[in-house]
Amino acid sequence: MNPYEMELRQYLEQGIVDEVGGLIATGKEASVYLAASHGKRLAIKLYKNSLHRSFKNRSDYFMRTIAPHRREARAIKNKTSFGRRLNECLWHSREVRMLRLLRAAGADVPEVLAVGEQSFVMEYYETEGRAAPRLADLRSELLHCDWILKRTLWNIKVFFENGVVHGDLSPYNILY
């Protein structure tokens, strides 16, 4: 069994999900799988390891959170094996922390339900039994543009008030 299968299997063994379905999305840093628990659909975000992703230089994101003279910062900068493992851990935990912080502040982000070493289980957004479409996929069909703009700006304000800036906010990352 490969490490990705083991990571997904842990949620089954822990009873967090009843089943793990197929791949529903893949990106530079992670893949997202459909799952279910008690008839409710969920999503599992599974991070790709550093050898299998196209977004490789992430240490810049963490240098402000770790004092530059600390052993951890030097290890990340020098890309030691400890530094690479720490960098992975920081990357994974940062997204979960941000989602939880923003969810608590009322932002329109999925709820994180469980966290693994290289993954997390979250709410799955759907409309009428299908995956919620990305805003980019609906450009010609949008009827509520004013509401979408107001809600997006409101979310950006909530992010900002909580010290978060979305570095990749686009119609491809907003679900309708």
Side-chain angles (χ1 to χ4, degrees), residues 36-161:
S37 178
H38 305 295
K40 182 179 178 182
R41 292 185 203 204
L42 303 172
I44 301 175
K45 184 168 186 176
L46 177 60
Y47 292 98
K48 297 175 181 177
N49 72 34
S50 60
L51 299 174
H52 295 102
R53 68 172 171 257
S54 56
F55 184 45
K56 299 200 186 271
N57 237 346
R58 301 178 309 191
S59 57
D60 299 345
Y61 290 93
F62 304 116
M63 286 305 144
R64 291 189 183 119
T65 60
I66 300 174
H69 63 280
R70 300 235 357 229
R71 174 176 95 94
E72 293 88 350
R74 287 193 311 272
I76 290 173
K77 182 179 177 193
N78 295 332
K79 297 182 179 175
T80 66
S81 61
F82 169 73
R84 288 191 305 273
R85 284 192 315 275
L86 179 60
N87 197 15
E88 289 295 310
C89 181
L90 287 171
W91 185 259
H92 302 167
S93 65
R94 180 186 175 130
E95 182 169 11
V96 168
R97 276 194 328 273
M98 293 301 113
L99 285 171
R100 287 181 168 160
L101 171 76
L102 294 171
R103 177 76 178 200
D108 298 324
V109 299
E111 180 180 6
V112 174
L113 304 168
V115 179
E117 190 175 317
Q118 301 172 18
S119 63
F120 63 92
V121 179
M122 64 182 152
E123 214 177 350
Y124 176 76
Y125 287 147
E126 58 186 324
T127 304
E128 299 171 5
R130 293 189 318 235
R134 298 177 310 169
L135 201 55
D137 298 330
L138 298 174
R139 288 182 188 193
S140 61
E141 303 169 31
L142 292 175
L143 302 174
H144 309 291
C145 293
D146 290 346
W147 180 85
I148 293 168
L149 176 62
K150 286 178 186 174
R151 192 66 188 181
T152 302
L153 291 173
W154 179 84
N155 274 283
I156 291 170
K157 181 177 182 242
V158 171
F159 283 34
F160 181 75
E161 288 170 347

Side-chain angles (χ1 to χ4, degrees), residues 5-17:
E5 290 170 342
M6 288 173 35
E7 187 75 15
L8 293 172
R9 182 177 284 292
Q10 74 177 328
Y11 297 118
L12 289 165
E13 291 171 353
Q14 294 170 4
I16 294 166
V17 301

